[in-house]
Coordinates of all heavy atoms in Angstrom, one line a residue:
M489 N 216.4 -103.1 52.6 CA 216.6 -102.6 51.3 C 217.6 -101.4 51.3 O 218.3 -101.2 50.3 CB 215.3 -102.3 50.6 CG 214.5 -103.5 50.3 SD 215.2 -104.6 49.0 CE 215.9 -105.9 50.1
Q490 N 217.4 -100.6 52.3 CA 218.3 -99.4 52.4 C 219.8 -99.8 52.5 O 220.7 -99.2 52.0 CB 217.9 -98.5 53.6 CG 216.6 -97.7 53.3 CD 216.2 -96.9 54.5 OE1 216.9 -96.9 55.5 NE2 215.0 -96.3 54.4
Q491 N 220.0 -100.9 53.3 CA 221.4 -101.4 53.4 C 221.9 -101.9 52.1 O 223.1 -101.8 51.8 CB 221.4 -102.6 54.4 CG 221.1 -102.2 55.9 CD 220.9 -103.4 56.8 OE1 221.2 -104.5 56.4 NE2 220.4 -103.1 58.0
E492 N 221.0 -102.4 51.2 CA 221.5 -102.9 49.9 C 221.4 -101.8 48.8 O 221.8 -102.0 47.7 CB 220.5 -104.0 49.4 CG 220.7 -105.3 50.3 CD 222.0 -105.9 50.2 OE1 222.6 -105.9 49.1 OE2 222.5 -106.3 51.3
G493 N 220.9 -100.6 49.2 CA 220.9 -99.5 48.3 C 219.8 -99.7 47.2 O 220.0 -99.2 46.1
I494 N 218.7 -100.3 47.6 CA 217.6 -100.6 46.6 C 216.4 -99.8 46.9 O 215.9 -99.7 48.0 CB 217.2 -102.1 46.7 CG1 218.4 -103.0 46.4 CG2 216.1 -102.4 45.7 CD1 219.0 -102.9 45.1
D495 N 215.9 -99.0 45.9 CA 214.7 -98.3 46.0 C 213.5 -99.2 45.7 O 213.6 -100.1 44.9 CB 214.7 -97.1 45.0 CG 215.7 -96.1 45.4 OD1 216.0 -95.9 46.6 OD2 216.3 -95.4 44.5
F496 N 212.3 -98.9 46.3 CA 211.2 -99.7 46.0 C 209.9 -98.9 46.3 O 209.9 -97.9 47.0 CB 211.2 -101.0 46.8 CG 211.1 -100.8 48.3 CD1 209.9 -100.9 49.0 CD2 212.3 -100.5 49.1 CE1 209.9 -100.7 50.4 CE2 212.2 -100.2 50.4 CZ 211.0 -100.4 51.1
E497 N 208.8 -99.4 45.8 CA 207.5 -98.8 46.2 C 206.7 -99.9 46.9 O 207.0 -101.1 46.8 CB 206.7 -98.4 44.9 CG 206.4 -99.5 44.0 CD 205.6 -99.1 42.8 OE1 204.4 -99.1 42.9 OE2 206.2 -98.7 41.7
V498 N 205.8 -99.4 47.8 CA 205.1 -100.4 48.6 C 203.6 -100.4 48.3 O 203.0 -99.4 48.0 CB 205.2 -99.9 50.1 CG1 204.4 -100.9 51.0 CG2 206.6 -99.9 50.5
R499 N 203.0 -101.6 48.3 CA 201.6 -101.8 48.1 C 201.1 -102.6 49.3 O 201.7 -103.7 49.6 CB 201.2 -102.5 46.8 CG 201.2 -101.6 45.6 CD 200.7 -102.2 44.4 NE 199.3 -102.6 44.6 CZ 198.5 -103.0 43.5 NH1 199.0 -103.0 42.3 NH2 197.2 -103.3 43.7
V500 N 200.0 -102.3 49.9 CA 199.5 -103.0 51.1 C 198.0 -103.4 50.7 O 197.3 -102.5 50.3 CB 199.5 -102.2 52.4 CG1 198.8 -103.0 53.5 CG2 200.9 -101.9 52.8
E501 N 197.7 -104.7 50.8 CA 196.4 -105.2 50.5 C 195.8 -105.9 51.7 O 196.6 -106.5 52.5 CB 196.4 -106.1 49.3 CG 197.0 -105.5 48.0 CD 195.9 -104.8 47.2 OE1 194.7 -105.1 47.4 OE2 196.3 -104.0 46.3
S502 N 194.5 -105.9 51.9 CA 193.9 -106.7 52.9 C 193.0 -107.8 52.2 O 192.1 -107.4 51.4 CB 193.0 -105.8 53.8 OG 192.4 -106.6 54.8
S503 N 193.3 -109.0 52.5 CA 192.6 -110.1 51.9 C 192.7 -111.4 52.7 O 193.7 -111.6 53.4 CB 193.1 -110.3 50.4 OG 192.5 -111.5 49.9
G504 N 191.7 -112.2 52.6 CA 191.7 -113.5 53.2 C 192.4 -114.6 52.3 O 192.7 -115.7 52.8
K505 N 192.6 -114.2 51.0 CA 193.2 -115.1 50.1 C 194.6 -114.5 49.6 O 194.6 -113.7 48.7 CB 192.3 -115.4 48.9 CG 191.0 -116.1 49.3 CD 190.2 -116.3 48.0 CE 188.9 -117.1 48.4 NZ 188.0 -117.4 47.2
I506 N 195.6 -114.9 50.4 CA 196.9 -114.2 50.2 C 197.5 -114.6 48.8 O 197.9 -113.7 48.0 CB 197.9 -114.6 51.3 CG1 197.3 -114.1 52.6 CG2 199.3 -114.0 51.0 CD1 198.1 -114.5 53.8
A507 N 197.5 -115.8 48.5 CA 198.1 -116.3 47.2 C 197.4 -115.6 46.0 O 198.0 -115.2 45.0 CB 198.1 -117.8 47.1
E508 N 196.1 -115.6 46.1 CA 195.3 -115.1 45.0 C 195.5 -113.6 44.8 O 195.6 -113.0 43.7 CB 193.8 -115.4 45.2 CG 193.4 -116.8 45.0 CD 193.8 -117.7 46.1 OE1 194.4 -117.2 47.1 OE2 193.4 -118.9 46.0
T509 N 195.7 -112.9 45.9 CA 196.0 -111.5 45.9 C 197.4 -111.2 45.3 O 197.5 -110.2 44.5 CB 195.9 -110.9 47.3 OG1 194.7 -111.2 47.9 CG2 196.2 -109.4 47.3
I510 N 198.4 -112.0 45.7 CA 199.7 -111.8 45.1 C 199.6 -112.0 43.5 O 200.2 -111.2 42.8 CB 200.7 -112.8 45.7 CG1 200.9 -112.5 47.2 CG2 202.0 -112.8 44.9 CD1 201.7 -113.5 47.9
C511 N 198.9 -113.0 43.1 CA 198.8 -113.2 41.7 C 198.0 -112.1 41.0 O 198.4 -111.7 39.8 CB 198.0 -114.6 41.4 SG 198.9 -116.0 42.0
R512 N 197.0 -111.6 41.6 CA 196.3 -110.5 41.0 C 197.1 -109.2 40.8 O 197.1 -108.6 39.8 CB 195.0 -110.1 41.9 CG 194.3 -108.9 41.4 CD 193.0 -108.7 42.2 NE 193.2 -108.6 43.7 CZ 193.7 -107.5 44.3 NH1 194.0 -106.4 43.6 NH2 193.9 -107.5 45.6

Side-chain angles (χ1 to χ4, degrees):
M489 289 296 99
Q490 286 177 6
Q491 293 172 11
E492 295 296 320
I494 302 298
D495 294 328
F496 65 96
E497 62 179 270
V498 178
R499 282 189 62 167
V500 178
E501 302 272 344
S502 178
S503 172
K505 297 182 177 180
I506 298 176
E508 287 79 357
T509 303
I510 293 171
C511 294
R512 174 174 55 79

